[in-house]
Amino acid sequence: MTNFSFIFPGQGSQAVGMMADFNDHSLIRSTFNEASQILNVDFWKMATEPNEEIHQTIHTQPILLTAGIATWRVWQSKTDRLPNYLAGHSLGEYTALVASNAMEFKDALMLVKYRAEIMQKAVPEGVGAMAAILGMPDSDVMDTCMEARENEVVEAVNFNSPGQVVIAGNILAVARAIEIAKTKGAKRAILLPVSVPSHCSLMQKASEELKEYLTNITIKKPNIPVIHNVDVMEHHDANEIKGALSKQLCHPVRWVDTIEKIALNKISDIAECGPGKVLTGLTKRISAELKGAALINEGAIDEFKALIQ
């Protein structure tokens, strides 16, 4: 039998119509209805009708968690095969923890909504920014950030794939880093359409608030190992998991290391469980050994199920 892993997407994978290819599957709808009742927001309407709210962090985080778990439930309805490992990019780590039965869906929804609120509160809109630096070695991106700092914050925060690093910090420092990166030979250096500079040290206060909030959340030992972004390790103890989640908010997402660790554990196939194909594209650039698939509709789930039998 094939060893396989599931990975769950984070912010940036949301889009109106993102669940349309499931053709109104009852498990997709029921999961969205459950989330809508818990948080008193019509997430199905947000996912299906033109709106800008889907891109507001406070809505983006719960809706992506919901989409990932809805897709996971469709998978579970078709097979009892469980992945050997789970991981999620930033917010997707929470989806992975729900899928591993470490956290209740309801608790995770309330947690990611709170996470979004404290992230936005920590850095008011217009103060922070994020940018993608493409076609530049990691070390050069970090040197660029050092050069652009000038007593402000700008740091490499998402190591997404070789030649794709996201930086975050104060808006002027990020702008300086973009210009320096261009002069140093980056293929592209582009500002991202986000209002919160995630995973940088400007999120330190939010990290502390999240740590406090997590004391009231029940977390159990995962029944599937979850590899965490912040230290590329699997944790089984509730306090260690809570520590990894709070640290993640103000430390880089080590996605390249995460995928490489999955590949080293004799995994041959990896499926992106949730909307879009962002992580599937990154996987191709990180590892030649891993075969990636995006579970964007029921047909894709059936194909992947047949592949790993």
Side-chain angles (χ1 to χ4, degrees), residues 7-15 18 54 60-65 67-68 87-96 115 158 160 194 198-199 229 248 253 255 272-279 282:
I7 50 178
F8 296 89
Q11 281 185 251
S13 291
Q14 76 280 1
M18 62 187 178
I54 194 172
T60 305
Q61 297 200 26
I63 206 168
L64 280 171
L65 174 76
H89 191 286
S90 187
L91 169 82
E93 196 166 284
Y94 291 80
T95 323
R115 180 179 185 262
N158 290 0
N160 285 335
V194 296
S198 305
H199 304 293
N229 293 173
Q248 187 220 60
V253 172
W255 193 247
E272 182 171 3
C273 188
K277 301 179 179 180
V278 172
L279 300 183
L282 295 180

Side-chain angles (χ1 to χ4, degrees), residues 17-279:
M18 62 187 178
M19 308 306 286
D21 288 347
F22 279 97
N23 296 319
D24 225 20
H25 192 290
S26 60
L27 278 171
I28 301 291
R29 283 299 297 270
S30 65
T31 305
F32 270 77
N33 290 342
E34 186 182 343
S36 298
Q37 287 171 4
I38 290 166
L39 293 184
N40 199 27
V41 176
D42 191 341
F43 287 119
W44 187 249
K45 185 178 180 182
M46 203 178 287
T48 54
E49 297 179 14
N51 69 94
E52 285 303 312
E53 288 181 315
I54 194 172
H55 300 299
Q56 294 172 5
T57 299
I58 193 171
H59 297 311
T60 305
Q61 297 200 26
I63 206 168
L64 280 171
L65 174 76
T66 301
I69 292 303
T71 307
W72 171 250
R73 286 175 175 178
V74 176
W75 170 263
Q76 286 185 303
S77 74
K78 292 175 177 287
T79 177
D80 58 3
R81 286 289 311 275
L82 293 174
N84 298 79
Y85 289 94
L86 301 174
H89 191 286
S90 187
L91 169 82
E93 196 166 284
Y94 291 80
T95 323
L97 287 165
V98 175
S100 74
N101 286 330
M103 199 185 300
E104 295 291 336
F105 182 42
K106 179 180 179 179
D107 287 343
L109 280 166
M110 294 167 72
L111 180 56
V112 300
K113 178 176 180 280
Y114 178 76
R115 180 179 185 262
E117 288 169 348
I118 59 174
M119 286 170 75
Q120 190 65 76
K121 189 178 74 175
V123 182
E125 203 156 343
V127 172
M130 299 182 79
I133 311 296
L134 308 178
M136 202 173 184
D138 293 357
S139 57
D140 288 357
V141 175
M142 290 187 277
D143 288 345
T144 295
C145 289
M146 289 287 287
E147 203 174 317
R149 205 163 276 170
E150 292 183 18
N151 296 319
E152 290 188 306
V153 170
V154 58
E155 297 160 359
V157 296
N158 290 0
F159 295 94
N160 285 335
S161 71
Q164 188 192 124
V165 179
V166 173
I167 63 172
N170 293 107
I171 193 164
L172 292 177
V174 170
R176 287 192 296 270
I178 287 172
E179 294 310 311
I180 293 167
K182 287 174 181 174
T183 65
K184 284 179 178 281
K187 284 183 184 171
R188 292 180 76 197
I190 48 173
L191 207 59
L192 298 176
V194 296
S195 59
V196 175
S198 305
H199 304 293
C200 75
S201 53
L202 292 177
M203 287 290 125
Q204 182 63 45
K205 187 172 187 299
S207 171
E208 290 163 8
E209 290 177 353
L210 185 66
K211 185 178 181 180
E212 181 66 28
Y213 188 90
L214 279 162
T215 59
N216 298 313
I217 300 289
T218 299
I219 291 183
K220 299 176 289 188
K221 179 183 176 180
N223 66 358
I224 307 167
V226 176
I227 298 174
H228 290 266
N229 293 173
V230 75
D231 54 12
V232 198
M233 291 174 66
E234 50 188 272
H235 296 292
H236 306 292
D237 175 77
N239 288 329
E240 287 179 2
I241 292 169
K242 290 176 181 182
L245 291 176
S246 58
K247 279 183 202 165
Q248 187 220 60
L249 210 50
C250 60
H251 287 79
V253 172
R254 295 170 57 189
W255 193 247
V256 172
D257 293 340
T258 298
I259 296 300
E260 286 177 344
K261 176 155 184 172
I262 288 171
L264 282 171
N265 279 287
K266 297 180 181 173
I267 303 296
S268 59
D269 294 86
I270 192 163
E272 182 171 3
C273 188
K277 301 179 179 180
V278 172
L279 300 183

